Amino acid sequence: MAERSLDLLLCDARDGEPTVIPFKLVLQANEQATVGFALMRSGVAFGPDDPVLARQGCFGVFGKRKEWDSPIYAGDRLELYSPLLIDPKTVRRKKANQNQDAKFQAAAAKRKARRL
């Protein structure tokens, strides 16, 4: 049976500074190159239900979130992401409320200036 190999980059940004490690994925004739298969062969995960990768969106290729069975190609950079420290929805909501408060304060200042 013919073996084929894919040269990949494994970028691990889960703990501190991101590290990029060259990785060679060796495939047998009947194996397909998927993101999940590459993660298992690299030793990061043991299966799709691994608690290390339990949260959604913790891995991707070139900054795009991928599913476990997404295909992977030679030269791809497989990335492992750290969890978000701040929820983007909360930040946007807080910023919108600050802008709203500033509008209310400006309107109150105008009303007060008219009275004087």
Side-chain angles (χ1 to χ4, degrees):
M1 297 199 166
E3 287 185 352
R4 57 190 177 117
S5 64
L6 301 175
D7 290 322
L8 304 171
L9 291 174
L10 183 64
C11 180
D12 192 353
R14 294 177 294 174
D15 298 323
E17 192 68 26
T19 57
V20 179
I21 305 163
F23 175 68
K24 185 177 280 274
L25 179 64
V26 179
L27 300 167
Q28 301 297 326
N30 59 350
E31 295 174 331
Q32 292 184 355
T34 62
V35 171
F37 189 71
L39 288 172
M40 288 191 315
R41 281 288 172 94
S42 67
V44 173
F46 298 109
D49 299 328
D50 195 346
V52 173
L53 304 174
R55 63 183 173 77
Q56 186 176 10
C58 64
F59 55 88
V61 176
F62 288 120
K64 301 286 183 180
R65 189 179 68 82
K66 297 292 181 179
E67 297 299 322
W68 184 261
D69 56 351
S70 298
I72 196 165
Y73 304 101
D76 281 354
R77 184 180 66 225
L78 182 58
E79 301 168 342
L80 302 169
Y81 306 126
S82 62
L84 293 176
L85 300 176
I86 300 171
D87 183 23
K89 275 187 182 178
T90 306
V91 172
R92 283 193 299 268
R93 188 174 296 123
K94 185 176 179 181
K95 186 176 180 182
N97 287 340
Q98 285 176 347
N99 290 341
Q100 195 69 20
D101 289 344
K103 286 179 187 177
F104 289 144
Q105 288 174 357
K110 282 182 184 178
R111 285 193 303 271
K112 188 175 184 180
R114 277 188 259 156
R115 284 189 226 148
L116 296 177

